[in-house]
Amino acid sequence: MAVTLTIDGRAFQVEAGDNLLHACLSLGFNLPYFCWHPALGSVGACRQCAVKQFRDAGDHAGRLVMACMTPVADGMHLSIEDGEAKSFRASVIEWLMTNHPHDCPVCPEGGECHLQDMTVMTGHVRRRYRFHKRTFRNQYLGPFVAHEMNRCIACYRCVRFYRDYAGGQDFDVFASHRYVYFGRAEDGRLENEFSGNLVEICPTGVFTDKPLGRLYARKWDMAGAPSVCVHCGLGCNVTVNARAGHLRRLLNRYHHQINGYFLCDRGRFGHGFADLPERIRQPLRQSHPLTRDATLRHLAGILPAAKPIGIGSPRASLEANFALRQLVGPDRFHLGLAAEEQRLLSLIIDILQKGPAPAATLADAEQADAVLVLGEDLPNTAPRLALALRQATRRQAFAIAGRLGIPSWLDNAVRDAAQQEKSPLFIATLDATRLDNLATAVFRLPDMEVARLGYAIAQAIDDDAPKVSDGSAEFLSQAQVVAQALAEAQRPLIVAGTSSGSRAVIEAAANLAWALCRRGRAAQLSMVVPECDSLGLALMGGGNLAEAFAAVDAGAVDTFIVLENDLYRRAERSAVDACLNRLRHLLVIDHSSHQTAARAEIFLPAADFAESDGTLVNNEGRAQRFFSVRPPSGGIQESWRWLRDMAAVRHEGEPLPWRQLDDVTAACAKALPGLSDITNAAPGAGFRIAGAKIPRQPQRYSGRTALHADRTMHEPKPAEDPDTPLAYSMEGAATKPPPSLIPFVWAPAWNSVQAINKFQQEVGGPLRGGPAGSLLIHRSRQARRTYLGEVPRPFAPRRGRWWIEPLYAIFGSEELSRMSAPIAEILTSPTVALPPADAARLGITEGALVELRLGGEIRRMPATLHPALPPGTGGLLAGTPESIGLILPGWGEIKACEGTP
Amino acid sequence: MMAGLANVFGILLVLVITAALLTWVERRLLGLWQDRLGPNRVGPAGLLQVVADMIKILFKEDWVPPFADRIGFILAPAIVMAALLLGFAAIPVTPGIGVWPVDGVGLLFILAMISLSVYSTVLGGWASNNKYAILGSLRAVAQMLSYEVFLGLSLLGVVLQARSFDLRQIVAAQAGMWFVVPQFLGFLVFMTAGIAAIHRLPFDLPEAESELTAGFHTEYSGMKFGIFFIGEYVGIVLVSAMLATLFFGGWLGPVLPPLLWFLIKTGAFVAFFILLRAALPRPRYDQLMAFGWKLLLPLALLNLMVTAAVLLAF
Amino acid sequence: MYSLLKTLWLIFLHLFHRRETIEYPERKAYLAPRWRGRIILSRDPDGEERCVACYLCAVACPVDCIALQKGELPGGRWYPEYFRINFSRCIFCGYCEDACPTYAIQLTPDFEMSEYDRRNLVYEKEDLLISGVGKYPGYSFYRVAGLAIPGKDKGQAENEEPPFDPKTLLP
């Protein structure tokens, strides 16, 4: 409902229900604030957003109110520019600054500091306070976040985010009045996986980006580019910052349907793999550097006679994969996925396309009022989704508050009203997860039992669903409880995914959502996929690795062209070794080196996500474009350009007539009907604002005539960028670009990240200028009428063997982020997780060395005891150098062995 | 034959070198009038500055902008140089020195050549394909068209008095009295129009730096620009020589040899032109036009009528 | 018309005035102490580099001729890993000196820095750093600002209380 608000004599129409600060900011006024945050709500702690409220148009005296604590009401009269309100706000800043250490020149926040912005906005310039400043000692908070407590203005945003929003336990506020201290009880790494958001949430320089500090640059000196996180399948939007060819940091890029204001630490600090000193920047032939021309000559010698197949990658862009597909031909294009994973991904696409339940965005997930997680350790496999589910459990709180007439943004009141009441959240996984403390009930089950639980719940909701005939009474009554909670909800959400490697779990989740839909609930599905382009690759379609290996065995193939993929992560080590040994030529295109790359006859250095452009498809089927922030340097070239060059020297078949990325994207959209909408993911390279490209560099990017002066006096021309509407320069359009092309957020008077307010239609709402990304999965009108699959047989423990499922760690399981320096610093060595009872029977104690036989592989590593594991099961941290090459889940033998770990 | 050739090349060479030297003279004089020294470092009293400048300008890249009309662009500086040098051919320096008397119509020939020189300005501006340049050309055309009218008219008084278009006869006719006395009005009008015709300050609107960067020669550099530059000084010498010949008795004068008299008179005018540059601001474009059509043209006509009336009466 | 003639006459008379030109290099002109010439980096009274690599000079520079990279010494002191001024671009406007919060960058009365090779006009930190305090004796940024550095702990800057222990039970 729109109401009329009169601000400084001008009437505005705003939506009722929100607070005055939100309304004023949405209307474009510059009203200073600190403690309020659109995602955290109002607490009225800082007293900075004071405005004058008048009884009516005739009232000239008025009274000061805190805008963030005052609901918008029809016919309100207020004044932002009122003298008393202005001097009040200036005084508040002056008080806040009495203890500020005045160390902006040596503060990494300087130049993008909300406190600086607000101080300038209120006009406070001269320190009148003549007494002493309070000081604190800082804490070591781990490799991600630096601490400088003296700068604190006590707005409480950090604890409200860390504890209330992200559920962290190891960070709090200590002491009282002017001595309040925000930190941990003692030095140590911040345990919560969202600690990096403190950097953005803190309005001043108390929490700053520690990896950035090692190679620091000010915000105005860093070129930016809109990008998409490559470290999981959720497709969070990020801004990449670079200067002088070095990647400096990653920031959250607001997308109201996906990541909103927050990123996980893997996404924020995982970019270090791109700038490793050992990164290969020249083409290699048998590990010897080659020039580009020599490389192409070698390729020209190899390719015409070769019988190649292409191995794609779920962490390469659609365009790169498509280029490979065109080079070798659709029949010879293989996705580079294990057969099972490919089947799971195809199943997910099928479910999302044909099933009645749509894919949930993260914003949808936050709105779900009952959630069931089947077989996914979300804080480790899809961290940002776990954070969304944390907010989903607060639906109940908002409902209670709503009944009491408390607006949802009045944070403390909502929390007080709700106490510990939470929306239902059920988690069924093998091992404990960090979401468990929010859950209504948790079920510790191996994957087939997780699936059976899903089937049983579906059956309890809809009688037509497949029957779980052999379930125990307790099992069925548990299912009944969950079924009831889900059926009572208006917007239930079912979360499943590929991480347990079980087809039955995914089918059970789909059936469950379908059963809920039949009961008239707006059920949604969130399918977690492992990598940034997993779904896109599955949509493209092609053979799998097993077929590729079989073709080599059959002698039909003697050359692999491997695109940004480490085959050892996809199949058993022995199988990969056997296959690669039979090949005549192994050509690898990648930006990072790995075991497959080490065996390559020719290695072509590919551009990473920060120096190339392309399209990725996230887990809900949303195609999003990522853009380079720096041009490729040295011998590095975008993967699709290498593939195009290979097509040119191949002599047979069509050359690939592509000059820029748009040509590849368009060809891909044309060739593959399922991907026809990828051209809409972002404007093409021809897009201009008032005839100008969009500058990647802020207007005050400094050092242009000195940065390269040590090497050349002839100030090099900025690199051309034929592939995107962005320019490697500070020149170009000065207006705000459309959402998918925002290289950095800045608005006059708003230098901090909070300038995003000025890019949104309303604060906390969608960005101005249309959608970002385009959905590729369109649900067919004829929803599926039959349930999927069949109920798997119950889990039967075997003597002397353990059902080993993959376990995941946010830091360590993902291939690229574990190479990043700050993350590598906190990696732990992988262990075999065992239930304590089973371990005791084997005589294995915590930390003892065990031998694991799985498939044809033998590994030795220490054991850890996980009390949550059901008997007869075990877990192994996936994705580490020690665990790759094992096919999980599977039955493994475990025995104690001699030696120290 | 040989004497003729020596005459031609001698005058040509002296003229071009003089024009080049004038760059030094102008800068030195401007310096003096502005309480500075002017170029004084290269060679004795800075005289070799000219050589240094020549070397510099000759070694600059001979560059034609890719967007320019190549033929016109190259032709333009050649035209101004050729036209003004040809014009000088008709100037009788002394009874013995002078290229070619143009058989009794030398004055008309010079006027024709001066008119022709405007094509260089127009062509240069047009061929540059640059908006400043074309604006400069437009101004040049309008200015030339306007001032040419009374450039000729103002001289008719002299012609009437001398009863000849032949410059030698005009000089000879001033043996009793320099025409500057009876033709003072004509002298003033001709001097003004002459400055305008070779667009010297204060009438340099076609190349007004402060508003048109460099007007018609914005795109020129290197020796092509140098030719424009030298052309301008040849123009100064030509108009000064004409003033000396037509109004101040040319080579006539006591004691000193005729050549020296001619040089002194011409040089005085050259110096005066430089003084004008040092002292006077550039008029606005409409002022220039109004000055020409509303003041100088009536004055020239008046001068012609009075001269004719007086000659008819006596 | 009269004014034009008067102007001509007056200008002509300047022929006989005294020349203002100072014949450098035979005679040198007087340069005031605050003359904006060659840029230097100064040290604080303790002999440490004053520059804290805050990048404010670089961003203030209208011709973008200053480039640097922040480094951090053990203990937390910021310093420039490299500091480069391209004097072939510098216009000696002095904005960098105005922007500098630590009095590190200063302009000096020296302009005689011509070179035959433009590359010699690129001054690195070794070329810029002098061993004195320049125009501002006695000022040390870290004594004023709150950041702790070796030799100056928390609470030892100007107007600071000793560090508070958040775990104390005293109010």
Side-chain angles (χ1 to χ4, degrees), chain A residues 101 105-106 132-133 135-137 148 178-179 185 213 216 218 248 700 702-707 710 715, chain C residues 54-55 58-59 61 63-66 69-70 78 84 86 89 119 122 146 153-154 159 161-164 167:
Chain A
V106 289
H132 286 151
K133 302 173 184 177
T135 61
F136 293 113
R137 291 196 188 283
E148 181 63 43
R178 70 191 283 244
Y179 295 112
Y216 181 70
R218 298 261 178 226
R248 302 295 175 114
R700 272 318 298 142
S702 76
R704 180 176 48 86
T705 64
L707 207 52
D710 55 334
E715 288 142 24
Chain C
C54 70
Y55 293 100
V59 72
C61 180
V63 290
D64 287 345
C65 75
I66 304 179
Q69 174 58 51
K70 173 239 169 186
W78 286 29
R84 186 179 306 132
N86 181 352
R89 283 289 187 182
R119 278 171 297 186
V122 178
D153 198 2
K154 290 280 181 208
N159 286 328
E161 292 173 4
F164 179 79
K167 291 178 184 168

Side-chain angles (χ1 to χ4, degrees), chain B residues 130 157 189 212 241 266 285:
Chain B
N130 167 314
V189 174
L212 296 181
T266 308
Y285 191 63

Side-chain angles (χ1 to χ4, degrees), chain A residues 683-699:
Chain A
F687 178 84
R688 296 286 185 278
I689 295 175
K693 282 193 149 200
I694 299 159
R696 283 182 173 86
Q697 299 169 354
Q699 278 175 324

Side-chain angles (χ1 to χ4, degrees), chain A residues 1-178:
Chain A
M1 187 187 68
V3 298
T4 307
L5 200 60
T6 310
I7 301 173
D8 288 318
R10 288 165 65 198
F12 297 95
Q13 294 285 316
V14 297
E15 282 299 308
D18 231 309
N19 58 58
L20 278 180
L21 177 59
H22 180 276
C24 290
L25 292 173
S26 296
L27 289 171
F29 288 98
N30 285 346
L31 183 56
Y33 65 90
F34 286 113
C35 67
W36 178 82
H37 188 281
L40 301 180
S42 313
V43 289
C46 70
R47 319 312 282 173
Q48 185 59 63
C49 60
V51 293
K52 208 61 167 297
Q53 186 185 350
F54 302 103
R55 216 176 324 115
D56 49 46
D59 179 11
H60 295 295
R63 63 196 175 96
L64 286 176
V65 294
M66 295 307 131
C68 73
M69 301 297 281
T70 312
V72 169
D74 198 18
M76 265 181 134
H77 289 264
L78 41 125
S79 171
I80 295 173
E81 295 301 316
D82 179 82
E84 198 182 352
K86 281 174 82 169
S87 72
F88 183 90
R89 295 195 298 260
S91 300
V92 169
I93 283 274
E94 194 170 357
W95 296 323
L96 290 176
M97 295 288 280
T98 53
N99 290 319
H100 201 70
H102 294 83
D103 58 353
C104 299
V106 289
C107 174
E109 191 84 356
E112 52 178 327
C113 177
H114 191 60
L115 178 59
Q116 282 179 339
D117 288 350
M118 297 299 109
T119 308
V120 172
M121 202 178 278
T122 54
H124 165 63
V125 285
R126 186 168 296 276
R127 179 182 167 83
R128 291 185 292 170
Y129 185 76
R130 285 178 300 156
F131 303 97
H132 286 151
K133 302 173 184 177
R134 60 108 177 89
T135 61
F136 293 113
R137 291 196 188 283
N138 303 324
Q139 286 181 327
Y140 169 77
L141 298 178
F144 298 152
V145 179
H147 194 215
E148 181 63 43
M149 226 354 254
N150 282 0
R151 297 172 188 143
C152 182
I153 55 164
C155 72
Y156 281 72
R157 266 192 191 188
C158 51
V159 273
R160 290 176 60 217
F161 169 76
Y162 196 88
R163 295 185 69 87
D164 299 348
Y165 194 91
Q169 301 290 327
D170 59 325
F171 177 89
D172 213 333
V173 52
F174 301 90
S176 60
H177 56 103
R178 70 191 283 244

Side-chain angles (χ1 to χ4, degrees), chain A residues 269-285:
Chain A
F269 300 109
H271 58 81
F273 73 91
D275 270 349
L276 289 178
E278 62 265 30
R279 179 165 172 196
I280 301 163
R281 294 172 183 278
Q282 282 299 320
L284 299 181
R285 177 164 180 262

